[in-house]
Structure formats: C-alpha cells, structure tokens
C-alpha cells in the first residue's frame, strides 16, 4: 500500500454530512476519499447513538430521500422519524460503495499542509501508520471542525462570553428482558429519587420494537475539543447513566436493562468554523423566511438551545421559519479549497442550535459535495468561482427544494413558550 495518496476530493468525517458529501461528489465521477475514525458511517446518528431525525423531512435532496427509502425497505423506521442505527450504518455504507466512494476507517486526522490559502495535503494516522493524502478540494465534516482547525482556520466555540457549549450526552438503548431485573447502584453514586433530580432531560422514548431510547444524561462545563475535558465528560456521563438506568428500573422499566450506549459521548456543539458568512440568530429569527441568493440547503428545526448550566432543563426552544443556508457559510474564510458541512459550519451559537439537526446536515453535505465536484469539473482552484446558479440548478435537479417558503417549520408548534433566559 502506498503511504502517499492522491484524490480529487478528501472528506474528513463519515457522519451524515460527510456521507452525503462523499456520495454527491463520487456519483459525479470524482475520486473521493472519505476518512472516518470509527468503524462505521453515520456519525452521531449511528455510532453516536442518536436514532432520531428532528426536522421536516422533505425537500432535503435525493440522498436523504434514498436513506429514508432504504431504511423503510428494512422496516427500520419507527413513527416516521426514529430509526434503527445498526441498519443505518449499512445503508450509508452500501450507498457510498455504490457511488464509488473510497472509505478509509480507523483513520484520524493529524495535520494539514496549507500553501497560499489552499490546503494541499492532510496527514492521517491509521493502524499506527502515518499516511499523507493530497487532494484538490477538502471538506471538513468532522462535527468539531478538526480539519479546518488543523489547517489554521479561524473558529468560534461556545457562548461568546462564557465559552460554554451545549451540553454533551451519552445516550443508551434499553431492552426488555421479559423478567424483573435487580436494580443495582455501585457505592458512591447518588440514587435519583425524583424526576426533578435527573441529571438531564426526562427523555426516554419507546421505539416500538421493545427497545427504549434514553437521552437523559447531561454533562455541562466540559470542552469537547480538549482531550482531558472530553475524557472527563465520558466518565461523568457513564456515572450519570448508571444513576439514570437505576432510576428507570425502579420506576417505569422494572424488566429493562442496558443493551448499548453510544460509542462516544454525543457532542452537540464543537468548533464553528468561520466562513465567508456567519449565519446568525437574527437571520433565523426573521419573521419572513430568511433566504439568500446563494442558498444551498434549507433548515427547518426550532432553536433547541438547552440550558448551558442547569440539569434537567430543556432551555430555550423557539419556532423558526424555515431558512436558507448560504454557500458562503460552507466555505472557510481565507481558504480557497476548504469547505465545511454539518454542525461545524459558519454560524453563531443560537443558529447552530437549530441547523445542527441530522436531516439538515445531510442536505448541507449534499450541497458541499456538489459544490466541490463542480469546482473540480470546472478546473477552478477557488470554490468561489463555481457558478452558484448552476450549483443551485444541480441541487434542485437532485431533489433539493431550495426555496425556504416551500418548507414547513419543525415542529409546526413548539410547546414551550420562547424563553431566551432559559438558555443560560
Ligand atoms: C445527544 C444528542 C441528541 C441529538 N438529538 C437529535 C435529534 O433528536 N434529531 C436530530 O436530527 N439531531 C439530533 N442531534 C444532532 C445531530 O445528531 C448531529 O448534530 C448531527 O448528526 C451531526 O452530523 P455531522 O455529520 O455534522 O457530524 P457527526 O455525525 O458528528 O459526524 C462526524 C464524523 O466525523 C468523524 N470524525 C470526527 N473527528 C474526526 C477526525 N479527526 N478524523 C476522522 N474522523 C473524524 C466522527 O467519528 C464522525 O463519524 C443530537 C445530538 C446529540 C449529541
């Protein structure tokens, strides 16, 4: 095997955005390398243990439509928006293979070489071997903006004053053993006696197949981009989870036990890479649907800004009118060939709390992958030279509805009255 590789497009991160980007670019005939540090595709929605789509599910492009249709064939969608994560891993893999994507698992980024505002090469570490990959275009779909960070791109993180990010959660699936279980809590862990004392949300959702999705831990005040802080968060989350499961076994689920937990703690928010445009709270709270001439995806989900400090508090939820995500928010400022898609794009913290949802990440991925593909096809060294109207035409032909007025806000009605002060 060669240690120095060359591709047209390198995509870092095989989560939802990365998979969609890779498929969009590869099916146009380009040589695409998809670099993923785990052993499966899908990111937060598979290995991360989040089996739920939270957004309107139409007009997001033919890649998302295909994912939905394939999951349906497996009978792996429940109540329209929950899915079997193990099947989703396979669905993404088969789609990527069919498109001709070269998938590299167990590979983590370790560096990026930049010349004259262009990323030329990234360094990877896989199976204890260093690898170098050159490409014409690079897409950061790592969720935490690792590639852009390594390339030296500017980024923002967390609350502008405190730096606090939305909390992290280790999710879990419970299954019914069919007989009473013995709830056990190791010494040193405090039992939860009342719902008010739960560390996170009281969110346990029966999936309709005998399993229950538990999204009830809440680790605040940790930094998902700091190695020791992230490790502490994992440790704290697992302690919380033992307390949560012990509580559930003594209350609603006396015959249930843990089947699995996320392979890594769920990170709602990491670095937000600064792009040519920063999508803001003011944009998304516009009462008329916010549109841009270079809109390449549409987000529909509410502001879902969990309290940054308080346990168990849902925080600030507010309906937004569907809004466009401009291509400029997917292009790293000061770079010619570096794009982002998914939760690490260029936006402020409040806007991110809405566009971070998985279906929206899929649409962004398709848009960024298509933009990079067109740049390669036109032979341009700066993605800004791609004809935006052509990109929008291609995306529309590929099933994306780019007019925010033709989308529906999700959910249509938000139960909690908007309370911005609940965000802190
Ligand atoms: C607890 C929790 C609950 C949520 N609930 C919902 C919900 O109900 N509905 C909803 O729609 N959304 C929900 N979200 C949000 C949503 O899951 C994510 O924001 C979205 O899936 C992110 O997609 P992405 O492609 O941007 O990133 P990810 O899915 O995080 O993918 C990033 C990928 O990059 C890989 N990677 C990272 N760094 C490197 C590196 N250095 N080298 C190589 N690979 C790397 C990772 O392994 C991962 O596979 C939730 C999130 C969390 C954490």
């Amino acid at each position: 095997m060669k240690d120095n590789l060359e591709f047209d497009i390198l995509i870092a991160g095989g989560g939802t955005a990365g998979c969609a980007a890779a498929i969009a670019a590869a099916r146009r005939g380009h040589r695409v390398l998809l670099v993923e540090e785990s052993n499966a595709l899908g990111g937060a929605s598979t290995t991360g243990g989040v089996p739920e789509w939270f957004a309107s599910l139409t007009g997001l492009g033919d890649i998302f439509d295909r994912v939905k249709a394939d999951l349906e064939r497996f009978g792996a969608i429940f109540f329209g928006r929950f899915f079997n994560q193990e099947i989703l891993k396979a669905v993404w893999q088969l789609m990527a293979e069919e498109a001709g994507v070269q998938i590299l698992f167990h590979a983590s980024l370790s560096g990026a070489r930049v010349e004259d505002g262009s990323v030329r090469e990234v360094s990877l570490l896989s199976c204890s071997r260093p690898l170098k990959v050159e490409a014409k275009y690079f897409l950061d779909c790592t969720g935490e903006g690792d590639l852009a960070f390594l390339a030296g791109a500017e980024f923002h993180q967390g609350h502008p004053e405190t730096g606090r990010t939305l909390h992290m959660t280790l999710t879990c699936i419970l299954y019914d053993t069919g007989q009473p279980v013995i709830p056990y809590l190791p010494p040193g862990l405090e039992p939860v006696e009342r719902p008010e004392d739960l560390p996170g949300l009281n969110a346990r959702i029966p999936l309709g197949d005998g399993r229950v999705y538990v999204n009830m831990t809440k680790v605040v005040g940790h930094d998902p981009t700091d190695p020791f802080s992230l490790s502490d968060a994992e440790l704290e989350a697992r302690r919380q989870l033992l307390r949560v499961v012990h509580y559930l076994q003594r209350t609603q689920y006396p015959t249930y036990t843990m089947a699995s937990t996320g392979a890594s703690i769920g990170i709602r928010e990491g670095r937000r890479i600064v792009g040519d445009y920063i999508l803001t709270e003011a944009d998304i709270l516009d009462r008329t649907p916010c549109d841009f001439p270079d809109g390449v995806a549409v987000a529909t989900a509410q502001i879902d800004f969990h309290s940054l400090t308080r346990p168990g508090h849902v925080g600030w939820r507010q309906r937004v009118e569907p809004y466009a995500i401009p291509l400029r928010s997917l292009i790293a400022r000061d770079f010619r060939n570096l794009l982002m898609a998914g939760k690490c794009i260029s936006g402020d913290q409040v806007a991110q709390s809405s566009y971070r949802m998985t279906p929206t990440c899929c649409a962004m991925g398709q848009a960024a992958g298509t933009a990079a593909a067109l740049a390669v096809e036109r032979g341009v060294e700066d993605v800004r030279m791609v004809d935006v109207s052509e990109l929008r035409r291609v995306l529309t032909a590929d099933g994306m509805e780019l007019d925010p007025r033709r989308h529906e806000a999700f959910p249509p009605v938000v139960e909690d009255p908007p309370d911005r002060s609940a965000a802190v």
Side-chain angles (χ1 to χ4, degrees):
M1 193 204 88
K2 287 202 308 181
D3 288 348
N4 283 69
L5 307 164
E6 217 185 296
F7 283 84
D8 292 323
I9 300 171
L10 179 139
I11 293 164
T16 303
C19 289
I23 291 165
R27 70 186 184 183
R28 293 182 72 87
H30 302 293
R31 294 170 304 142
V32 176
L33 181 69
L34 180 59
V35 178
E36 167 54 44
E37 64 186 11
S38 74
N39 74 335
L41 299 179
S45 60
T46 58
T47 51
V50 180
E52 179 182 1
W53 291 319
F54 196 82
S56 293
L57 301 182
T58 52
L60 296 169
D62 55 3
I63 295 177
F64 187 75
D65 289 345
R66 171 80 186 276
V67 168
K68 260 191 316 187
D70 284 0
L71 283 171
E72 290 281 9
R73 280 188 198 99
F74 278 103
I77 298 192
F78 316 104
F79 312 123
R81 57 184 57 255
F82 295 90
F83 46 83
N84 182 317
Q85 300 154 234
E86 294 305 318
I87 305 286
L88 181 56
K89 289 177 186 172
V91 164
W92 275 126
Q93 176 181 322
L94 296 178
M95 277 176 71
E97 287 177 313
E98 180 187 298
V101 175
Q102 175 73 59
I103 300 167
L104 183 66
F105 286 133
H106 302 293
S108 200
L109 294 165
S110 57
R113 183 165 63 77
V114 178
E115 279 168 16
D116 303 328
S118 291
V119 182
R120 298 290 180 208
E121 182 183 83
V122 297
S123 311
L124 309 171
L125 194 63
S126 179
C127 307
S128 301
R129 289 172 66 145
L131 300 173
K132 294 203 185 293
V133 189
E134 290 181 12
K136 296 174 185 146
Y137 275 84
F138 292 83
L139 270 65
D140 188 336
C141 301
T142 61
E144 281 65 68
D146 289 5
L147 169 54
F149 166 72
L150 289 169
E154 188 183 344
F155 65 91
H156 297 152
Q157 191 172 334
H159 190 273
E161 279 146 37
T162 62
R164 278 182 182 271
T165 49
L166 295 178
H167 69 277
M168 292 183 254
T169 294
L170 182 64
T171 63
C172 138
I173 300 283
L174 299 180
Y175 80 99
D176 191 351
T177 66
Q179 54 193 356
V181 295
I182 302 168
Y184 171 66
L185 192 64
L189 295 181
E190 198 183 330
V192 176
E193 302 295 356
R194 308 171 306 163
E196 307 85 271
D197 298 330
L198 285 164
L201 302 176
N202 195 355
R204 58 224 139 50
I205 301 154
L207 292 175
D209 60 356
R211 300 176 309 142
V212 178
Y213 165 50
V214 174
N215 174 348
M216 295 174 67
T217 62
K218 176 166 187 169
V219 180
V220 296
H222 285 64
D223 178 352
T225 64
D226 174 298
F228 283 96
S229 187
L230 180 59
S231 293
D232 267 355
E234 296 275 12
L235 298 168
E236 165 63 16
R238 202 162 302 275
R239 286 190 293 267
Q240 286 187 9
L241 198 54
L242 288 174
R243 297 173 55 223
V244 165
V245 172
H246 180 246
Y247 168 76
L248 292 175
Q249 288 172 330
R250 285 176 300 135
T251 51
Q252 291 116 321
Y253 297 105
T255 58
Y256 282 67
T257 193
M258 264 195 269
S260 61
T261 57
S264 119
I265 193 167
I267 300 171
R268 289 181 172 78
E269 181 199 353
R271 300 183 192 92
R272 306 187 310 273
I273 306 303
V274 175
D276 286 354
Y277 184 81
I278 299 178
L279 197 61
T280 65
E281 172 185 344
D283 290 330
I284 77 164
L285 280 176
D286 206 341
R287 290 245 293 277
T288 52
C290 175
D291 201 358
F292 295 96
D294 63 337
V296 289
V298 171
T300 54
Q302 66 181 19
I303 288 174
D304 194 14
F305 199 109
H306 301 257
S307 161
L308 292 174
T309 53
R310 281 176 278 177
H313 201 289
V314 294
W316 170 26
R317 289 177 169 171
Q318 184 164 342
R319 182 186 195 274
V320 300
E321 293 304 324
Y323 59 92
I325 297 179
L327 177 63
R328 284 163 296 155
S329 293
L330 309 186
I331 302 174
R333 200 168 69 190
D334 303 328
F335 286 82
R336 298 194 291 174
N337 66 344
L338 177 58
L339 294 96
M340 303 78 72
K343 67 186 182 194
C344 60
I345 67 157
S346 179
D348 70 13
Q349 191 180 26
V350 174
Q352 198 268 2
S353 79
S354 154
Y355 64 64
R356 67 189 173 90
M357 300 304 168
T358 301
T360 316
C361 292
C362 190
M364 286 189 240
Q366 181 163 353
T370 307
L374 288 178
V376 172
E377 284 158 37
R378 302 293 168 261
V380 294
E381 290 197 359
D382 189 330
V383 66
R384 292 166 189 83
M385 292 171 77
V386 165
D387 177 355
V388 172
S389 39
E390 184 190 7
L391 172 60
R392 284 170 51 95
R393 266 198 309 279
V394 172
L395 292 172
T396 305
D398 288 343
M400 218 179 283
E401 174 53 69
L402 293 176
D403 182 350
R405 286 160 287 265
R406 298 173 72 92
H407 283 259
E408 285 186 12
F410 187 84
V413 181
V414 177
E415 282 161 22
D416 311 296
D419 178 9
R420 198 183 199 300
S421 66
V424 289

